[in-house]
Amino acid sequence: MKITGVHTRVVRIPLPRRIRTTIHDIASVGCVLLELRTDQGLVGESYVFTLNGIRIRVLREAVQGFAHLVEGRDPHCVNGITMSMWDEMNPVGHAGYPVAAMSAIDTACWDLVGKAADLPLHRIFGACRNRIRTYASGGLWLSDPIGVLERDAEDFLSQGFRAMKIRVGSARVEDDIRRVQAVRDVVGPDIELLADANQGLNVGQAVRLGRGLEALGVGWLEEPVSYLDLAGHAAVRSRTTIPVASGETEYTRFGMQRMLEAGAVDILMPDLQRIGGLSEFRRTAAIASVHHVPVSSHLFTEQSLCVAASEPNCMSVEHMPWFGVLFNESMSIRDGSIEVPDRPGLGFTFNQDAVKRYGDS
């Protein structure tokens, strides 16, 4: 089997409401959809994105810029393909748009490998489970008043979630505690609450907040300080008992290794786009296992399920509904877990009607 074409399209998906975190103001997501077409008629699919579609054309060009390293190659040689991309991006660095482009191509190659074998990728990788714990992440925003937080929490429960994440980072720690308490009052003591500060705090603020969240039974404090501040992450860990989750903003297994060596995290959170694709995600999970650190995927829910179902130290996946409209298939949530599909490859295919609807030519 040979890859005969690298095809990309841009779509823009509006969010149901404008949302804010400590560092984000988001009204839409812009995606580059990738199709790797082959001489056997199979198509490998993946996507990468930017918030609000900012510089989405640059991201598309980054993907297309690797076409000469992909066309004519057998997708089963995915490691060779990614090595050639890794070498070529050296002059501009192994982060940012080049890594995102590599991620899209690597993931689409694996999709082809699964489709060619007529097997789901988690079985090709070596399955260890067929369902994985998840948490609702598409609500409970920092910009929402308490009434909206309470409605979101009730809605998540009705969808079958047993865990959910609230964004924190208010000007006053007391306000964050009050907001988390309001959600806890709705969901009760048995539902897991997680908190994400989106890098918006300093160490002192994060420690104060973390100690307050401990009393509310919050399961982790995510990105409490800047992702660049590894010593700050470690300080928050040492001065609180709440687990610290981080890693979504770091690039490749080498960035993750630095976080682990710095003692910066209790839970490592690879993002498929920034980590560099399924190949790098699997390597990262292996490195984390050496440090006895669990991983929990960031975004890219549909595409990350195959890793979550084949890496023993994957504890959960983030459920973000933003991209679900792009696919023919939907995820099945039951009693707080997502069923891992047994469909070939990634198990999710682009809905062409949706692609046309949201297309940005």
Side-chain angles (χ1 to χ4, degrees), residues 287-306:
I287 292 170
S289 71
V290 174
H291 291 262
H292 305 286
V293 170
V295 299
S296 179
S297 67
H298 176 255
L299 300 183
F300 294 92
T301 315
E302 291 89 350
Q303 282 68 31
S304 298
L305 288 175
C306 58

Side-chain angles (χ1 to χ4, degrees), residues 7-145:
H7 298 265
T8 57
R9 288 171 290 182
V10 170
V11 298
R12 295 179 188 266
I13 305 170
L15 301 188
R17 65 180 186 266
R18 195 177 194 97
I19 57 177
R20 282 190 300 104
T21 72
T22 55
I23 60 172
H24 305 113
D25 187 344
I26 314 168
S28 66
V29 288
C31 304
V32 176
L33 309 184
L34 172 64
E35 291 183 350
L36 296 183
R37 300 176 185 174
T38 69
D39 58 359
Q40 293 186 10
L42 296 175
V43 178
E45 298 178 331
S46 67
Y47 74 94
V48 285
F49 79 100
T50 68
L51 298 178
N52 299 313
I54 295 173
R55 288 178 289 278
I56 191 67
R57 303 293 174 180
V58 178
L59 183 54
R60 183 180 192 178
E61 178 59 31
V63 176
Q64 289 287 358
F66 283 136
H68 66 288
L69 299 176
V70 179
E71 291 172 341
R73 305 284 294 274
D74 184 337
H76 292 89
C77 299
V78 57
N79 283 335
I81 293 171
T82 55
M83 284 175 59
S84 64
M85 290 187 287
W86 184 263
D87 290 342
E88 188 165 286
M89 72 175 74
N90 184 275
V92 295
H94 297 99
Y97 287 93
V99 170
M102 181 178 74
S103 171
I105 291 170
D106 177 271
T107 301
C109 281
W110 278 114
D111 189 38
L112 280 170
V113 170
K115 288 173 176 175
D118 197 29
L119 286 170
L121 281 175
H122 71 290
R123 295 190 180 278
I124 289 177
F125 295 158
C128 62
R129 57 179 68 93
N130 56 21
R131 58 202 307 262
I132 182 70
R133 188 162 62 95
T134 190
Y135 63 90
S137 190
L140 305 179
W141 299 101
L142 187 62
S143 50
D144 293 334

Side-chain angles (χ1 to χ4, degrees), residues 147-268:
V148 174
L149 298 180
E150 292 169 336
R151 288 195 295 273
D152 279 352
E154 291 171 348
D155 186 44
F156 289 150
L157 292 177
S158 71
Q159 294 176 50
F161 289 102
R162 303 288 296 170
M164 58 191 72
K165 184 163 74 178
I166 182 171
R167 274 65 177 190
V168 294
S170 301
R172 298 182 342 120
V173 169
E174 294 78 8
D175 291 336
D176 277 334
I177 299 300
R178 181 168 54 88
R179 291 161 60 82
V180 175
Q181 180 68 68
V183 175
R184 175 59 78 195
D185 290 343
V186 170
V187 302
D190 298 328
I191 298 299
E192 184 175 29
L193 287 185
L194 310 168
D196 187 352
N198 293 106
Q199 308 176 61
L201 305 175
N202 60 39
V203 171
Q205 292 169 326
V207 169
R208 285 186 60 213
L209 177 59
R211 289 173 177 170
L213 295 177
E214 290 167 359
L216 297 175
V218 172
W220 74 47
L221 179 56
E222 185 176 335
E223 285 199 319
V225 297
S226 168
Y227 84 96
L228 296 168
D229 187 2
L230 301 185
H233 275 73
V236 175
R237 286 189 68 215
S238 68
R239 294 167 60 184
T240 66
T241 60
I242 190 169
V244 170
S246 194
E248 69 186 63
T249 316
E250 189 53 89
Y251 287 90
T252 78
R253 67 188 186 275
F254 297 103
M256 297 297 186
Q257 175 74 1
R258 288 190 291 271
M259 297 195 80
L260 291 165
E261 290 176 346
V265 295
D266 296 286
I267 298 138
L268 198 62

